[in-house]
């Protein structure tokens, strides 16, 4: 076939069929090239990438790397890193670098000489930050308490030397704090003065020994819930930390007597010791500690221990510096132990004493303590089943300087015994607290002689269900100068009981807590604030469900120094909030409207106009709404809002 079809069409040479033929050939060639090109180009690109990666690896192999250095060389390099920021950044490079930096003691850091560059514009540097006081306390809690976190803290502090207090609460379940973390702290925080380990089950004597060796200035040690720490660790602390002043050991099943005896021998500055729920601590450990630290030991707390009368006898003879003594849950200590402790005449400086669940506390024991501890000013008795009305009367006659008595869950005591105590108490007696004493009930007839305790300034009667209006009226008659009154949980008290007390109070009430007095009404609160508004600074009406806006109106008119007001679960409304907000003389610091269901979004403008003195606002469990809370947070930007 010829390449061109020559024919004429109206005098023109027509070549279209040939052009179409050549065009078809070109299209087929282009199609074949298009089909082949993607696979070829992809293969070429992949080959190029592999070649580039191989070249990069070859270049990296040829270039020097610090990771190729042995530990000794890397140690020398890292100990010359200057500045806390630089050291912190270096610790983030790898776990090897972090471990290496954590193993460098503060004394081993090579410090470069300070050479000022006068041509450089002054910019604050790491060294300038280190010259300023830094964070002196650090706390690690729960899942954040790991060896890595402890090591990082030690690395950051190695140059600064600011960390003085470290608290570890709990531990990560799989990567918790171990001896390795404590070792890093010991190397980097030589100025550490206070260490608390709470529920850290993987720490052993080795970690505590590292702390003792690296932190010779340690003054306070608190070990709670560390079952792997034994006497060996405490001996190391005793030998390495002679300045130890405060020791707390709680729920450490591995600790026995030898560690406590070593602490007593070596730590001559020991001032306070708290030993609680340690099953293997006995008379030898407690006695050895008390005997050796007789000159400095001022505070002793023994709780849940298997000690006997012998330990209390030693406290009585050698506790010459003890001012604060707590004895709780000592089932094997009898009456003889308390009697000997008092009659040994060693507790001449004892001022505060607390006894809980000790069956050995009898009339003879308590009266002996009152007679032979002439400085005793505060006594707290809880769950002491032998305490009775007769005992209280005899104790009051012997305690010449007693200022405060707190009685909790002692059910043999009655209102008659309390009145006898107040009739015979010291002229310096200031505070009486009765909590959960079911024997405190109304008496059928008042005694022939009612005491008048003019020195009493603080009265607390909480959760005593038998205490009603009749008893409260008697209290008002015998305590004319009360300043602090706490009647929490007395649901049976009504206006008939509180109003006489308010009228008989000659001094201005300052702190009044009526939490849970659900039968009080606006009449009592209005009378209270009108009579004592010029002195009242704290008023709690939580769960007083009959309190309405009428009380708020009286508060806004009469209270000039009120700082804290709790209206939780009261029947106040938006109108009452508006009244409070508009009170010109009221400068509240704390206001709680939690659970006030009548407080709605209409209160937001009034709350937003509260004075600048407001520091805390509780708006939980009401109908204000999250959007309005956000608006309030902007208006009261200086105030902490709980919602």
């Amino acid at each position: 076939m010829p390449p061109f079809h020559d024919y004429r069409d109206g005098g023109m040479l027509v070549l279209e069929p040939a052009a179409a033929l050549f065009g078809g050939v070109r299209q087929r060639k282009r199609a074949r090239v298009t089909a082949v090109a993607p696979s070829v180009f992809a293969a070429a690109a992949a080959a190029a990438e592999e070649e580039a990666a191989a070249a990069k690896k070859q270049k990296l192999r040829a270039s020097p790397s610090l990771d190729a250095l042995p530990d000794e060389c890397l140690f020398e390099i890292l100990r010359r890193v200057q500045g806390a920021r630089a050291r912190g950044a270096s610790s983030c490079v790898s776990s090897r670098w972090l471990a290496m930096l954590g193993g460098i003691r503060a004394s081993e850091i090579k410090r470069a000489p300070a050479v000022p560059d006068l041509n450089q514009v002054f910019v604050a540097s790491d060294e300038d930050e280190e010259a300023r006081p830094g964070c002196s306390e650090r706390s690690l809690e729960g899942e954040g308490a790991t060896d890595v976190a402890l090591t990082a803290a030690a690395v950051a502090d190695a140059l600064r030397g600011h960390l003085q207090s470290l608290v570890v609460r709990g531990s990560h379940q799989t990567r918790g704090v171990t001896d390795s973390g404590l070792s890093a702290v010991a190397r980097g925080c030589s100025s550490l003065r206070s260490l608390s380990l709470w529920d850290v089950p993987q720490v052993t004597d080795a970690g505590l020994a590292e702390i003792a060796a690296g932190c010779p200035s340690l003054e306070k040690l608190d070990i709670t819930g560390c079952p792997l720490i034994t006497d060996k660790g405490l001996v190391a602390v005793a030998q390495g930390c002679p300045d130890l002043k405060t020791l707390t050991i709680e729920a450490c099943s591995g600790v026995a007597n030898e560690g406590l005896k070593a602490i007593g021998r070596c730590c001559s500055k020991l001032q306070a010791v708290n030993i609680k729920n340690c099953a293997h601590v006995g008379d030898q450990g407690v006695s050895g500690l008390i005997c050796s630290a007789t000159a400095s030991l001022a505070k002793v707390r023994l709780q849940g221990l298997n000690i006997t009368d012998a330990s209390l006898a030693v406290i009585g003879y050698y506790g010459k510096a003890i001012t604060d003594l707590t004895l709780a849950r000592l089932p094997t200590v009898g009456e003889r132990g308390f009697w000997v402790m008092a009659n040994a005449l060693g507790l001449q400086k004892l001022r505060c004493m607390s006894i809980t669940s000790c069956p050995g506390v009898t009339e003879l024991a308590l009266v002996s303590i009152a007679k032979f501890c002439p400085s005793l000013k505060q006594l707290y008795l809880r769950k002491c089943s032998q305490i009775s009305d007769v005992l209280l009367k005899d104790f009051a006659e012997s305690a010449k300087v007693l200022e405060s008595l707190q009685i909790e869950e002692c059910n043999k005591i009655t209102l008659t015994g309390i009145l006898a105590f107040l009739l015979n108490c010291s002229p310096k007696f200031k505070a009486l607290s009765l909590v959960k004493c079911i024997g405190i009930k109304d008496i059928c007839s008042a005694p022939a002689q009612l005491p008048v305790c003019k020195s009493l300034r603080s009265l607390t009667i909480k959760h005593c269900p038998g205490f009603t209006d009749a008893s409260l009226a008697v209290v008002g008659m015998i305590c004319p100068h009360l300043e602090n009154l706490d009647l929490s949980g007395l649901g049976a008290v009504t206006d008939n009981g509180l109003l006489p007390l308010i009228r008989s109070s000659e001094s201005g009430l300052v702190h009044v807590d009526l939490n849970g007095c659900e039968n009080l009404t606006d009449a009592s609160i209005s009378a209270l604030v009108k009579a004592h508004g010029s002195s009242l600074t704290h008023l709690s009406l939580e769960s007083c469900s009959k309190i309405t806006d009428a009380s708020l109106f009286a508060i806004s008119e009469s209270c000039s120094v009120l700082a804290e007001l709790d209206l939780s679960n009261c029947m106040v409304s938006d109108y009452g909030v508006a009244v409070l907000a508009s009170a010109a003389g009221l400068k509240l610091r704390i206001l709680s409207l939690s659970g006030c269901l009548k407080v709605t979004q209409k209160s937001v403008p009034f709350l937003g106009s509260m004075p600048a003195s407001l520091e805390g606002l509780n708006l939980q469990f009401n109908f204000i709404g999250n959007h309005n809370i956000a608006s309030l947070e902007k208006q009261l930007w200086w105030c902490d809002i709980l919602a």
Side-chain angles (χ1 to χ4, degrees), residues 43 71 240 257 276-277 286 400 421 431 582 584:
D71 288 347
N257 296 321
K276 181 178 180 181
N277 298 340
V286 173
K400 303 298 183 182
F421 173 85
S582 61

Side-chain angles (χ1 to χ4, degrees), residues 521-531 550-555 558:
T521 69
D522 294 324
S524 290
I525 306 306
S526 298
L528 172 66
V529 298
K530 288 177 181 178
S551 293
L552 299 191
F553 187 80
I555 289 172
S558 305

